[in-house]
Amino acid sequence: AQTVTQSQPEMSVQEAETVTLSCTYDTSESNYYLFWYKQPPSRQMILVIRQEAYKQQNATENRFSVNFQKAAKSFSLKISDSQLGDTAMYFCAFSVMNNNAGNMLTFGGGTRLMVKP
Amino acid sequence: KAGVTQTPRYLIKTRGQQVTLSCSPISGHRSVSWYQQTPGQGLQFLFEYFSETQRNKGNFPGRFSGRQFSNSRSEMNVSTLELGDSALYLCASSLPGQEKLFFGSGTQLSVL
C-alpha cells in the first residue's frame, strides 16, 4: 500500500513571491506517477503538474515546478510569481504505473494555500 | 469538449435512505472512477469502472456500489445512509491507458 503525507496543513504567501509545498510518500513500487492537484472553492480538482518516477528531470509547467527526490521519496511543488488565483487546496497524489490495472490515486491530506495581495 | 458532469450538485438525505449519484465522463473517456472527500478522512478512492466492468475497488463497505453503462456514464449508489456518509463525492474520467484524470465538480451529499 502507498501513503502520501503533506506536512503543511496551511501556508500563505504574498502575491508575486515564491512558495514551496512539501510532499513525501512511501511505496515499494518502482514505476509510478506523482501529481499535484489544485482544488479551488469551485471544488473541481485540477491537475497542476505530474512526474513520471523513471524520469530524472523535474517537471515544469509555466510557474509551477517540482523537486522530485526519488531516493528520499520527496515531491515538493514550487509556485513562482504567486497569483491571487493560486489560492486553493493543493493535493499531492500517487498512482502506480500500470495501464492494465487502471488509475487509482492515493492522495495526501492537502495544503491550504492562501495568496495575499 | 464538455467536461466531466456530475449530478446533482447538492443532495440532502436522511439516515437509512439510499441515494444515487450520476457521472457523465468526457466524450471518448471509458474509465470512470469515484472518490469520497471528507474533512476527517480526506480523499479516498471508492471504485473504478472501465468498459462497464469494475476494475478496482477501495476499502468501503458493501453499501457503496456502482455501475457503468455502455455509453460510459456511471452511477454510484449508497444504501442505508449513515451520518458519516456526508461527503463530497468526486467523479473522474480518463482515456484508456492514460494516467491523467479529469475531475467533475462533485456532488455534496448531506445526511441528516
Side-chain angles (χ1 to χ4, degrees):
Chain A
Q2 285 70 232
T3 60
V4 178
T5 303
Q6 295 179 246
S7 59
Q8 306 150 315
E10 292 186 1
M11 294 191 72
S12 64
V13 63
Q14 292 295 132
E15 196 175 6
E17 293 188 346
T18 295
V19 64
T20 299
L21 280 57
S22 301
C23 171
T24 58
Y25 60 95
D26 191 24
T27 184
S28 57
E29 302 286 342
S30 54
N31 294 318
Y32 50 87
Y33 295 100
L34 292 164
F35 308 86
W36 279 97
Y37 278 90
K38 167 185 176 182
Q39 188 178 40
S42 67
R43 310 181 315 190
Q44 184 178 22
M45 300 282 282
I46 301 165
L47 179 64
V48 174
I49 198 165
R50 71 177 181 190
Q51 174 83 42
E52 293 91 336
Y54 63 85
K55 290 187 177 179
Q56 291 187 337
Q57 187 173 4
N58 289 323
T60 299
E61 288 287 342
N62 301 314
R63 299 183 293 109
F64 299 89
S65 61
V66 299
N67 183 2
F68 174 48
Q69 301 290 328
K70 190 172 184 178
K73 296 181 179 175
S74 169
F75 183 62
S76 61
L77 173 69
K78 186 172 82 170
I79 305 175
S80 304
D81 186 25
S82 297
Q83 299 175 0
L84 296 178
D86 295 333
T87 293
M89 282 289 290
Y90 287 81
F91 292 94
C92 179
F94 172 104
S95 75
V96 176
M97 185 183 292
N98 184 338
N99 290 338
N100 293 328
N103 294 318
M104 189 168 65
L105 291 176
T106 300
F107 285 93
T111 296
R112 185 178 302 278
L113 176 68
M114 176 166 291
V115 180
K116 298 179 178 179
Chain B
K1 196 180 256 190
V4 177
T5 304
Q6 291 189 247
T7 56
R9 287 295 302 273
Y10 300 92
L11 205 50
I12 299 175
K13 292 286 187 180
T14 56
R15 278 182 298 173
Q17 288 186 311
Q18 76 164 14
V19 67
T20 299
L21 312 181
S22 179
C23 173
S24 294
I26 293 172
S27 177
H29 288 197
R30 290 164 54 194
S31 170
V32 174
S33 50
W34 290 87
Y35 290 81
Q36 182 196 64
Q37 185 176 18
T38 61
Q41 300 298 317
L43 280 151
Q44 294 184 285
F45 172 78
L46 279 156
F47 28 65
E48 181 201 12
Y49 287 86
F50 178 76
S51 294
E52 302 179 64
T53 301
Q54 188 179 86
R55 185 158 63 174
N56 287 296
K57 188 178 190 305
N59 189 25
F60 278 81
R63 300 185 297 107
F64 291 81
S65 63
R67 60 177 176 170
Q68 186 180 33
F69 302 95
S70 59
N71 62 357
S72 295
R73 189 177 72 85
S74 177
E75 289 181 346
M76 69 162 282
N77 184 278
V78 188
S79 63
T80 317
L81 283 166
E82 300 177 359
L83 295 178
D85 297 334
S86 294
L88 178 67
Y89 290 89
L90 291 165
C91 168
S93 71
S94 64
L95 286 165
Q98 295 294 309
E99 77 289 350
K100 183 176 180 180
L101 297 187
F102 295 81
F103 283 83
S105 295
T107 293
Q108 182 69 53
L109 172 64
S110 298
V111 182
L112 306 179

